[in-house]
Amino acid sequence: MDAAQQLIATAGPILGAKGVITEPAEIAPWLSDWRGRVHGASPAILAPASTDEVAAIVRLAAQHRVPLVPQGGNTGMAAGATPPPDGSAILLSLRRMHRIRSIDAAGRIAVAEAGVVLETLHHAANEIGMRFPLTLGARGSCTIGGLTSTNAGGTQVLKFGTMRALIAGVEAVLPDGSIHSGLSGLKKDNRGYSLDQLLIGAEGTLGVVTAVALRLVPAVASRAVAWTGVASPADALALLRFLEHRTTSVEGFELVPRDSLELVLRHIPGTRAPLDDAQPWHVLIEATTVDPAADIAAELQRCLADALGQKLIADAVIAANEAQAEAFWRIRDSISEAERVDGQTLAHDISVPVADMPRFMTEAAREVERAFPGVIASGFGHLGDGNIHFHVRAADHAAPDWYEREGAAITRMVDNLVTAAGGSISAEHGIGQLKREEFARLAPPGRIHALLAIKHALDPLGIMNPGKLVP
Amino acid sequence: MDAAQQLIATAGPILGAKGVITEPAEIAPWLSDWRGRVHGASPAILAPASTDEVAAIVRLAAQHRVPLVPQGGNTGMAAGATPPPDGSAILLSLRRMHRIRSIDAAGRIAVAEAGVVLETLHHAANEIGMRFPLTLGARGSCTIGGLTSTNAGGTQVLKFGTMRALIAGVEAVLPDGSIHSGLSGLKKDNRGYSLDQLLIGAEGTLGVVTAVALRLVPAVASRAVAWTGVASPADALALLRFLEHRTTSVEGFELVPRDSLELVLRHIPGTRAPLDDAQPWHVLIEATTVDPAADIAAELQRCLADALGQKLIADAVIAANEAQAEAFWRIRDSISEAERVDGQTLAHDISVPVADMPRFMTEAAREVERAFPGVIASGFGHLGDGNIHFHVRAADHAAPDWYEREGAAITRMVDNLVTAAGGSISAEHGIGQLKREEFARLAPPGRIHALLAIKHALDPLGIMNPGKLVP
């Protein structure tokens, strides 16, 4: 019996029948990443139901020297939860830890276990008149543990920040099996290095996040969603600054280029263009208020009328009702799907300083299109955060193996341009497996050295999510 | 020539005459902590003027195995910047690095070097219509580097958070002499473990913070300051919750017990009681607005009138002008000074979950007064953050060596009570030298183990601020 089998056998009595999955058909769906590009192998999924059970499994893993790959909803974009292909590691599913331990409107804190699905938390907060503001496309599947371990972003970062800004405390099992309890709910605590902050975004390589204390905000009373046409990314950013001087209500500000809109209209049934005339660029704007008496649509209307008067925008329409608001958002949320239907696409989740993004988008697209004739490069997404999903689509006549043949070279070029602009090759998706080589290639040696030192210090046996994040 | 002398000699050509101070009389003021209780020794102060110079000195320190003690304004409360008494370490003053490298109203970011004095940054922000909201009593001396390394708090945390929430990026020299550059101003960056977050609150034990990117907020248009009388800490907290449901303008909420007020009136010239009748407890409230058209005093007046109607408060007065507002704040800011004049005081900077603080304050004071007859225990300060300065004053007849004889036992009792309540023995002052033993005694072994592992991984030679924070 090899080490992994020994671990599985000893885990059985601790976890019970529900906690040990060895049936290959049940394991299979969890062995590939969300995009279906990276495939791993594992002899079992262990699924503890409590923090103590996680600790027991981590201690066994250390004893048997068997690596664990923590996994939540498996919706990550960097293959950070996919096990290595040699089957040497065991999947550690947190999905049975799906309890909201507490939720408190007065203290504005919810304590959710790692396996709680984001949408479940949204509903729970809503029921007490509160809101957990972070949201993203995978909200129906992604889990609090994964969101924490990847410091997830999404569409409301502009106002509320990433997970890091919304986390008040982390509970985790460290690689030595000890439990780090950061859930006390203290607003101020300066007892040495912040393990909470170190675990946020560590992609499960320094321990297993088991529960998180999350900040809540008052529920939205109403929202207004607008679709505007602008001449350029520079005008889009000028519009954002213009709005910021007039209102604190804007919480979503998503840039959509014309060709992305056209792809959606072509491939996603039931979609239609919000504006009559074709525009080179669009911005989807969401403004919200917590005040039931406020007329948020009128406020946004006034602001946009002023922007129109100053020729910052060419045209705008405010959704007349919730259905139309949802339709606007559906266009934005369907871009990746439309691209997938259309052909081969290389996605790059990048950031540069906000003020530099308009120029960067234009110049980087031009350079990539010149270096790889026939491809179409364009960016969409979170302009206000300096975070664009810079996608490069294959030419119409591209070979089926375009992605394999050209992908790495294009990505290297994009990453070089981003690095030269002082940006990040991973704005919100993390490093995982997919960006590990590029990260090692482009990060300063001192940074890589420090990260490796931390990794080896806290996980000397290398049992936590091997092959992810650090080189 | 010993190692320290060799380092000083080799540093000379790098730093120039201004950068090497060996005159004992010039060094002396920097060898004791702010409270004057801890005394160290050092053969020199090295004062680099740039990040590259800091890096050069750190590399020399590694080469010669001479520890460095980074120091800013030397206003810390835990002796974290005081060198060891054996003279084995060299003081590394950041005070010559006092440039504000950039300050940008549109991007709402200032990049300040470690030696910039907090008040200097306040003025610089104000000049462009912006504000850096963190403030505290030592603002005229404390520096950005020290504030970062101790994750400082202060009186406006309620609305704006501690330094951690206000820092957009950190530049630091790591113990291997490499420069960590986190000043790119990226809003989103998920490239592995956050060294920025690890350095915040690390008290100079993991590297030398050389510059920080700080978030700015719009300048205050006007403020209103009120002094209210309440029956108990529980009523004070209820008042805060009451106000939070009516306004987002409250940014200061400081609890002052009757005996603290009386001490101030007795010992600080020119102070007078804001209210006519004696009250058992008081709350100093500051509300601000960025809107020049808003009448913030009227808004606060309305809220307090409602609170009076609901008998949440016994009495209240709103400062009629800036001079009166300053007078109210002077009472709050003079409590420590009044205590010092009055006699011997043991200070404890502690936090518990906000909702538990009223009960904790009452019960802990009773228990301490029972266990140490004659002492007076009471708490004041940042109730809304769950952070109270819990001070224990000697009895009138106490011996001059009361602090030395009884101090440790009282502190152990307070720290035990705090720990039992799920709180922190250091809410905002850090661990430094003063709390190291208590931290080691009370922290979970897994936490101490993790902190030591990180310390040894990043500073294997032990040259960064020895004897601080980690046991």
Side-chain angles (χ1 to χ4, degrees):
Chain A
M1 196 152 67
D2 73 1
Q5 292 301 335
Q6 282 174 7
L7 168 59
I8 297 165
T10 45
I14 296 166
L15 302 180
K18 277 189 192 168
V20 182
I21 297 159
T22 53
E23 180 60 50
E26 286 180 63
I27 300 172
W30 305 99
L31 295 176
S32 299
D33 79 311
W34 186 81
R35 282 193 168 122
R37 291 208 168 121
V38 181
H39 308 283
S42 179
I45 297 175
L46 299 182
S50 70
T51 304
D52 285 340
E53 287 184 10
V54 174
I57 299 305
V58 170
R59 282 192 294 268
L60 284 177
Q63 187 187 322
H64 294 289
R65 303 285 198 278
V66 176
L68 300 171
V69 177
Q71 197 181 70
N74 197 28
T75 61
M77 302 296 253
T82 307
D86 63 3
S88 60
I90 304 260
L91 277 171
L92 183 74
S93 171
L94 278 299
R95 290 183 294 278
R96 284 181 70 213
M97 289 190 65
H98 51 57
R99 224 159 36 96
I100 296 176
R101 291 188 191 163
S102 63
I103 184 161
D104 169 18
R108 298 188 173 187
I109 291 283
V111 175
E113 291 185 341
V116 169
V117 169
L118 177 56
E119 206 164 52
T120 306
L121 179 67
H122 286 161
H123 292 317
N126 211 46
E127 274 173 22
I128 60 162
M130 301 298 285
R131 171 189 183 206
F132 180 65
L134 187 134
T135 190
L136 39 74
R139 58 187 165 274
S141 320
C142 64
T143 61
I144 296 303
L147 292 165
T148 301
S149 292
T150 57
N151 183 26
T155 49
Q156 321 299 111
V157 171
L158 191 64
K159 183 154 181 181
F160 298 103
T162 63
M163 278 298 278
R164 196 180 293 283
L166 294 166
I167 290 175
V170 174
E171 177 193 89
V173 174
L174 301 181
D176 65 0
S178 66
I179 296 171
H180 164 67
S181 298
L183 300 180
S184 60
L186 299 177
K187 285 199 172 174
K188 290 166 80 173
D189 182 11
N190 275 348
R191 286 175 293 175
Y193 318 146
S194 173
L195 294 182
D196 283 6
Q197 294 294 335
L198 197 54
L199 289 159
I200 297 169
E203 303 183 11
T205 63
L206 299 179
V208 184
V209 171
T210 49
V212 187
L214 297 159
R215 298 184 217 284
L216 305 177
V217 299
V220 166
S222 62
R223 69 167 176 173
V225 177
W227 189 274
T228 66
V230 293
S232 66
D235 276 10
L237 188 57
L239 172 64
L240 177 61
R241 297 292 179 238
F242 179 88
L243 293 173
E244 283 175 343
H245 273 88
R246 279 160 183 77
T247 173
T248 56
S249 308
V250 172
E251 61 171 73
F253 193 88
E254 298 286 308
L255 185 70
V256 179
R258 169 154 53 180
D259 67 322
S260 291
L261 173 63
E262 285 170 356
L263 273 188
V264 169
L265 299 178
R266 193 180 316 147
H267 295 297
I268 307 296
T271 53
R272 54 181 295 268
L275 296 172
D276 292 333
D277 296 330
Q279 306 286 342
W281 296 86
H282 313 85
V283 181
L284 172 67
I285 301 168
E286 176 161 307
T288 66
T289 179
V290 299
D291 179 358
D295 186 345
I296 187 70
E299 184 184 336
L300 186 57
Q301 182 99 53
R302 266 196 309 277
C303 291
L304 290 177
D306 289 352
L308 205 60
Q310 298 202 13
K311 298 200 192 310
L312 273 173
I313 57 178
D315 200 357
V317 56
I318 293 187
N321 49 47
E322 261 304 300
Q324 205 175 5
E326 281 298 319
F328 289 1
W329 268 111
R330 185 156 172 246
I331 294 171
R332 160 62 185 91
D333 287 339
S334 301
I335 295 174
S336 291
E337 194 186 334
E339 287 179 344
R340 201 159 36 213
V341 177
D342 192 68
Q344 301 177 71
T345 301
L346 254 169
H348 304 96
D349 160 51
I350 55 120
S351 66
V352 300
V354 179
D356 302 337
M357 186 51 100
R359 190 187 50 75
F360 176 85
M361 288 178 66
T362 312
E363 292 182 6
R366 197 164 50 214
E367 291 201 41
V368 169
E369 289 176 358
R370 190 188 302 147
F372 298 90
V375 305
I376 298 170
S378 82
F380 66 92
H382 325 301
L383 181 69
D385 307 322
N387 171 206
I388 282 293
H389 299 302
F390 189 83
H391 286 196
V392 181
R393 280 152 48 210
D396 286 340
H397 56 273
D401 62 349
W402 171 83
Y403 183 92
E404 282 69 30
R405 283 197 305 116
E406 300 255 43
I410 295 174
T411 294
R412 273 196 300 274
M413 180 172 186
V414 172
D415 289 348
N416 287 346
L417 292 168
V418 167
T419 305
S424 170
I425 64 164
S426 180
E428 59 176 8
H429 293 166
I431 299 298
Q433 296 183 61
L434 290 182
K435 296 194 176 186
R436 211 161 62 123
E437 258 180 56
E438 283 292 90
F439 178 46
R441 180 173 75 86
L442 292 165
R447 174 164 178 77
I448 297 291
H449 178 255
L451 265 49
L452 279 170
I454 294 167
K455 166 71 176 174
H456 294 150
L458 293 181
D459 182 21
L461 304 175
I463 55 165
M464 293 311 312
N465 209 8
K468 315 291 161 50
L469 196 152
V470 284
Chain B
M1 195 152 68
D2 74 1
Q5 292 300 334
Q6 282 174 7
L7 169 59
I8 296 164
T10 45
I14 297 167
L15 302 181
K18 276 190 194 167
V20 182
I21 297 158
T22 53
E23 179 60 51
E26 285 180 63
I27 300 172
W30 305 99
L31 294 176
S32 298
D33 79 312
W34 186 82
R35 282 192 168 124
R37 291 209 168 119
V38 181
H39 309 282
S42 179
I45 298 175
L46 299 182
S50 71
T51 304
D52 285 339
E53 287 184 10
V54 174
I57 298 305
V58 169
R59 282 192 294 269
L60 284 178
Q63 188 186 321
H64 293 289
R65 304 284 199 276
V66 177
L68 300 171
V69 177
Q71 198 180 70
N74 196 29
T75 61
M77 302 296 254
T82 307
D86 63 4
S88 60
I90 304 257
L91 277 171
L92 183 73
S93 171
L94 278 299
R95 289 183 294 277
R96 283 181 71 214
M97 289 190 64
H98 51 58
R99 223 160 38 95
I100 294 176
R101 291 189 191 162
S102 63
I103 184 161
D104 170 17
R108 299 189 172 186
I109 291 284
V111 176
E113 290 184 342
V116 170
V117 169
L118 177 57
E119 206 164 52
T120 307
L121 180 67
H122 286 162
H123 291 318
N126 211 45
E127 273 173 24
I128 60 162
M130 301 298 285
R131 171 188 184 206
F132 180 64
L134 186 135
T135 190
L136 39 73
R139 60 187 164 272
S141 321
C142 65
T143 61
I144 297 302
L147 292 165
T148 300
S149 292
T150 57
N151 183 28
T155 51
Q156 321 299 111
V157 171
L158 190 64
K159 184 155 182 180
F160 297 102
T162 64
M163 279 298 278
R164 195 181 294 284
L166 293 167
I167 290 175
V170 174
E171 177 193 89
V173 175
L174 301 181
D176 64 359
S178 66
I179 296 171
H180 164 67
S181 298
L183 300 181
S184 60
L186 298 177
K187 285 199 173 175
K188 289 165 80 172
D189 183 10
N190 277 347
R191 286 175 293 174
Y193 318 146
S194 173
L195 294 182
D196 283 6
Q197 295 294 335
L198 197 54
L199 289 160
I200 298 169
E203 303 182 11
T205 63
L206 299 179
V208 184
V209 171
T210 50
V212 187
L214 297 159
R215 297 185 217 284
L216 304 177
V217 299
V220 166
S222 61
R223 69 167 176 173
V225 176
W227 188 275
T228 65
V230 294
S232 66
D235 275 10
L237 188 57
L239 171 64
L240 177 61
R241 298 293 178 238
F242 179 88
L243 293 172
E244 282 175 343
H245 272 87
R246 278 159 184 78
T247 174
T248 55
S249 308
V250 172
E251 61 172 74
F253 194 89
E254 298 285 308
L255 185 69
V256 179
R258 169 155 52 181
D259 67 319
S260 291
L261 173 62
E262 286 170 355
L263 273 189
V264 170
L265 300 179
R266 194 180 316 149
H267 295 297
I268 308 295
T271 52
R272 55 181 294 269
L275 296 172
D276 293 333
D277 296 330
Q279 306 286 343
W281 295 86
H282 312 85
V283 182
L284 172 67
I285 302 168
E286 175 160 309
T288 66
T289 179
V290 299
D291 179 358
D295 186 346
I296 187 70
E299 184 185 337
L300 186 57
Q301 182 99 53
R302 264 195 310 277
C303 291
L304 291 177
D306 288 352
L308 205 60
Q310 297 201 14
K311 299 198 191 313
L312 272 173
I313 57 178
D315 200 357
V317 56
I318 294 187
N321 49 46
E322 261 303 300
Q324 203 174 6
E326 281 298 319
F328 290 0
W329 268 111
R330 186 156 172 246
I331 294 171
R332 160 64 184 90
D333 286 340
S334 301
I335 295 174
S336 291
E337 195 186 333
E339 287 178 344
R340 200 157 39 215
V341 177
D342 192 68
Q344 300 178 72
T345 301
L346 253 169
H348 303 96
D349 161 50
I350 55 119
S351 66
V352 301
V354 179
D356 302 337
M357 186 50 100
R359 191 186 50 75
F360 176 84
M361 288 178 67
T362 312
E363 292 181 7
R366 197 164 50 213
E367 291 201 41
V368 169
E369 290 176 357
R370 190 188 302 149
F372 298 91
V375 304
I376 298 169
S378 80
F380 66 92
H382 326 301
L383 181 68
D385 306 322
N387 172 205
I388 282 294
H389 299 303
F390 189 84
H391 286 195
V392 181
R393 280 153 49 212
D396 286 341
H397 56 271
D401 62 349
W402 171 82
Y403 183 91
E404 283 68 30
R405 283 198 304 115
E406 299 256 42
I410 295 174
T411 294
R412 273 198 299 275
M413 181 172 186
V414 172
D415 289 348
N416 287 346
L417 291 168
V418 167
T419 304
S424 170
I425 63 164
S426 179
E428 60 176 7
H429 293 166
I431 299 297
Q433 297 183 61
L434 290 182
K435 296 195 177 186
R436 211 161 62 122
E437 259 180 56
E438 282 292 90
F439 179 45
R441 180 172 75 85
L442 292 165
R447 174 162 179 78
I448 297 291
H449 178 255
L451 264 50
L452 279 170
I454 294 167
K455 166 70 176 174
H456 294 150
L458 293 181
D459 181 20
L461 304 175
I463 56 165
M464 294 311 311
N465 209 9
K468 314 291 160 50
L469 197 153
V470 283

